[in-house]
Every structure is written in C-alpha cells, then in structure tokens.
Amino acid sequence: MRKIKFKKSRKASVNQLEYTGSHKKFESEMQLFVYDELDYTEYDDFEISDFKTGIDVKKTNWINLHGLNEIEIIEAIGGFFKIDNFLLSDILNTTRRTKVEEFSDTLFFNIKSMLPTEDSDNISVEQISFLIKGGVLISFQEKRSDFFTHIRERIRNHSGIVRSKKADFLLYLLLDAIMENFYVTIENEEDKVEELIVLSKSSADPKILERIEKHRDNFNFLKRSIIPLRDSLYAIKSLKEDEDFKVIEVETFSYYSRLHQKSLELLEQIDSDMGTLESASNFFFSSQSHKMNEIMKTLTIVSAIFIPLTFIAGVYGMNFQYMPELQYENGYYTVIGVMVLIGIIMLFYFRKRKWF
C-alpha cells in the first residue's frame, strides 16, 4: 500500500510543476464529452489545439485527462482556462490531503480513490482531481481506469437526468463513483477480517497477528483519507448560503448533502470494523494464553506425579551400608510396584478433580 506522507515527503514548489505520484509510465490522454438534453458529442484523443473548436460553452463539457506525466499539457490546460498555478501544483502533488477550494467562478476538488489489490492485503491508491470553471468540468486521473465507465454510458444513452443537468451534477456523479470504491475496499477488508477471526480460532501462527496489524493499518489509512473528504463535502454543503458562489446550482446542493452523509456512514463502518479487528486481536492473544495454560497444566501434572516417585528413588539411592530394604529378595519389584501404584492413584485423583 502506498501511504500518503504529509510531513516527510519531498515538497514540490508552487512555481515548479512536478508530478510526485508513482504512476509515471502512463502516457497522457484526453477525452471530451460535450452534451445537453438533446444530443452529445464525444471526442477521443482530444488535443490542446482542439479546445477552441471542441468546447461548446452553451453545453456541458467534461474533459477527462488520464496520466499526469506530461507537464506541458497541464500547463496548457491551466493557461487556456486561466487556472492559478497553486491549483495545478495540487493536481500534480499526490501527497496532498483531500481538499476543496472554492472561488466565485471556480471549484477545485481533489480526492483519493482506493481499491483493494488482488491477492494481497494492500490497498491501491490514486489521486483524482476535479476542476469546474465556466461550465467545463476537468477531471485529472493519474492513470487510465474504469471508475467512470457507467457515467459515460449514461451520457451516451441519455440514461437518467445527467444530460439535463450541468457540470455541478456531473461532479456529484463522479465523486459518488469514487466513494463507491471506498465501500468496495471496506467490504474487502471485512471479508479478510472474518477470515482472520476463523484462522485465529484454529491456528497459533504468528503471521495471523501480523495480518491483523496490517489490516488495522489499512483501516486507519482509510479513516485518515475519509475524514478530510467528510470535511470537504461539508464545506461544499455550506456554500449554499454563499450568494457569490455560482458554480453549483441551488437545487444540486442536496446531492452533495447525500455524499456528506455517505462519508459519515463510511466512518461509522470503519469504527465498527476496527472494533471487530480489535476483538480478533484479543481473541488471538486469549487463544494463545489458553493454549499456554493447557501446556503448563499438563507439565504441572507430570511434575506432580514424579515428585513422590523422585523422592522414593532418592531414598533408595542413598549409599548407607545398613539399609534393611536392601536385603529383601523382592525389594526392587516391591518399590517399582509402589511407585506405579502411586502414579495411578494420583492420575485418578487429578482426573476426578477434572484438572485435565
């Protein structure tokens, strides 16, 4: 899992744009959707030179950029839409927390998208940034992914109300799709926690505890990512009373309130799952302690049985010349019989007391 480091990471200068993420092998590609309630146009392999002819300010425009390695493309987008350099820096700097920046004609939002990694206990992380300005929504993804495939299909097929809404509603749909990834990730973590609980009941392997601690780190990481998302969504919801902010229409704010409620549900679910994980950890230690107690009880019983036998063997191991039992013809067999009888009596007594 690639962790987000807020203090130790190398800081990128605001005036020097530099991509700090790990998905550096992906080439930059742009896609443009232009639509309204009557029709839509889709452009693949969209270029910077096509901005003036492709973008229609009378309709909703969605520019989706995959890959952040080609800085000149980011700079060209910033120059065309007159985006401040510090926002471009936040798009490229993947160590940033989830945040929202609002201006009278611009809304910027970046978020961490998370999905479980196959055949691993790790979590895959990707930063996605959104910017709305002048009726145009621009989304910046570190790599090509299929998070928004169903939204593209809804635009193409005129499914639902997306084509009748503006870019602010489209942003809601995109954020909702990313938040669904949190549910998928949490559900995957829950399945693995249940598996660990079953394993902790049948195995004393220390690797189980290592995996428990790994998933505890995963839940803490998810929580640290959702808390700033919750705060950002609350900040958007609070903009409803700001008369100077025109990027989001009044009737659309209710959709962002739903996202805020989802973030609260995610945090509650994580808290519940961390409690379950704590129970799994406690059960593992309790199971280990119980097994150790069983071993110690067995060893104690064996030791208790051999204490009187050792005493008898010690008495007859003394080298006194005048020991009367030494002259008995069947003395050896008598002593051995007494020792066996003592052992049987003690076993019977321990069994009757249910000590084993």
Side-chain angles (χ1 to χ4, degrees):
M1 177 179 66
R2 179 170 59 88
K3 292 190 176 182
I4 307 168
K5 300 180 180 178
F6 303 111
K7 296 181 180 179
K8 297 182 180 179
S9 60
R10 180 170 55 86
K11 296 181 179 180
S13 171
V14 174
N15 296 320
Q16 181 181 0
L17 300 180
E18 180 181 357
Y19 173 56
T20 61
S22 59
H23 304 286
K24 296 185 177 181
K25 63 180 180 180
F26 294 93
E27 297 182 358
S28 297
E29 300 175 1
M30 274 195 297
Q31 182 184 41
L32 171 65
F33 279 88
V34 182
Y35 63 87
D36 59 13
E37 199 165 7
L38 299 178
D39 63 358
Y40 92 98
T41 306
E42 180 179 348
Y43 300 90
D44 290 322
D45 300 324
F46 193 61
E47 301 290 342
I48 298 293
S49 57
D50 301 326
F51 274 11
K52 292 184 178 180
T53 57
I55 295 175
D56 187 346
V57 295
K58 296 180 180 179
K59 299 180 180 181
T60 301
N61 301 266
W62 174 24
I63 300 173
N64 190 30
L65 173 64
H66 298 102
L68 304 180
N69 299 303
E70 299 180 36
I71 306 300
E72 60 273 11
I73 294 180
I74 308 295
E75 291 177 324
I77 293 174
F80 184 86
F81 290 99
K82 296 181 173 58
I83 302 171
D84 290 333
N85 229 35
F86 78 92
L87 291 181
L88 299 180
S89 176
D90 285 345
I91 292 170
L92 294 170
N93 189 353
T94 60
T95 64
R96 299 290 188 187
R97 299 173 76 233
T98 295
K99 62 179 289 188
V100 61
E101 295 277 358
E102 68 279 352
F103 307 93
S104 58
D105 62 342
T106 306
L107 177 68
F108 173 77
F109 199 112
N110 77 346
I111 186 175
K112 298 293 185 292
S113 177
M114 301 184 187
L115 281 173
T117 305
E118 293 185 5
D119 302 323
S120 172
D121 289 334
N122 294 331
I123 296 177
S124 174
V125 185
E126 177 187 353
Q127 176 171 288
I128 303 178
S129 302
F130 302 99
L131 192 143
I132 299 180
K133 186 168 186 178
V136 179
L137 170 62
I138 312 172
S139 55
F140 302 86
Q141 296 182 245
E142 292 188 70
K143 60 186 179 67
R144 177 172 288 278
S145 57
D146 55 357
F147 301 155
F148 309 135
T149 301
H150 64 291
I151 298 176
R152 295 187 183 94
E153 291 301 318
R154 289 175 66 176
I155 294 174
R156 293 175 183 131
N157 301 325
H158 201 343
S159 175
I161 62 174
V162 59
R163 292 258 293 267
S164 62
K165 295 289 186 178
K166 302 296 183 182
D168 55 346
F169 181 78
L170 177 59
L171 175 60
Y172 154 73
L173 292 178
L174 299 176
L175 291 175
D176 186 60
I178 294 174
M179 292 185 71
E180 287 300 317
N181 292 342
F182 281 100
Y183 283 103
V184 172
T185 304
I186 291 174
E187 183 178 355
N188 181 75
E189 289 292 313
E190 289 173 343
D191 291 340
K192 291 182 178 179
V193 168
E194 290 180 4
E195 176 188 345
L196 288 174
I197 291 175
V198 173
L199 287 175
S200 65
K201 294 179 181 179
S202 59
S203 173
D205 191 345
K207 290 184 178 180
I208 294 176
L209 186 60
E210 293 179 9
R211 290 189 61 193
I212 288 175
E213 293 303 315
K214 173 65 176 177
H215 289 289
R216 195 195 310 278
D217 290 341
N218 287 352
F219 278 124
N220 281 321
F221 180 64
L222 285 166
K223 189 172 184 178
R224 291 200 311 270
S225 301
I226 295 174
I227 287 176
L229 173 60
R230 176 203 61 188
D231 296 340
S232 298
L233 291 170
Y234 182 80
I236 291 179
K237 189 175 69 170
S238 303
L239 292 172
K240 185 176 182 179
E241 307 299 328
D242 188 349
E243 296 181 356
D244 296 329
F245 183 72
K246 305 297 183 183
V247 178
I248 299 178
E249 298 181 351
V250 175
E251 59 269 19
T252 310
F253 278 104
S254 60
Y255 295 104
Y256 288 93
S257 296
R258 296 179 187 178
L259 293 181
H260 180 252
Q261 185 62 36
K262 273 190 172 183
S263 67
L264 297 177
E265 292 174 358
L266 287 168
L267 288 173
E268 290 175 359
Q269 187 61 43
I270 288 175
D271 287 337
S272 175
D273 292 333
M274 290 185 71
T276 303
L277 198 60
E278 185 68 26
S279 298
S281 178
N282 291 337
F283 185 88
F284 179 82
F285 284 116
S286 298
S287 177
Q288 292 289 86
S289 178
H290 176 71
K291 290 177 181 177
M292 180 60 67
N293 289 338
E294 290 295 315
I295 293 172
M296 293 303 297
K297 183 171 68 175
T298 302
L299 294 176
T300 302
I301 290 173
V302 172
S303 300
I305 291 173
F306 274 90
I307 285 174
L309 304 186
T310 304
F311 171 75
I312 295 174
V315 169
Y316 287 99
M318 291 186 294
N319 295 320
F320 291 112
Q321 184 175 359
Y322 301 106
M323 291 184 67
E325 292 86 355
L326 295 178
Q327 306 301 321
Y328 292 168
E329 183 177 353
N330 297 316
Y332 170 76
Y333 302 104
T334 302
V335 172
I336 291 296
V338 170
M339 294 172 70
V340 171
L341 181 62
I342 290 174
I344 293 173
I345 292 173
M346 294 185 70
L347 282 173
F348 178 77
Y349 177 77
F350 294 155
R351 186 67 176 176
K352 185 176 181 181
R353 296 295 300 269
K354 296 183 178 178
W355 290 355
F356 70 95

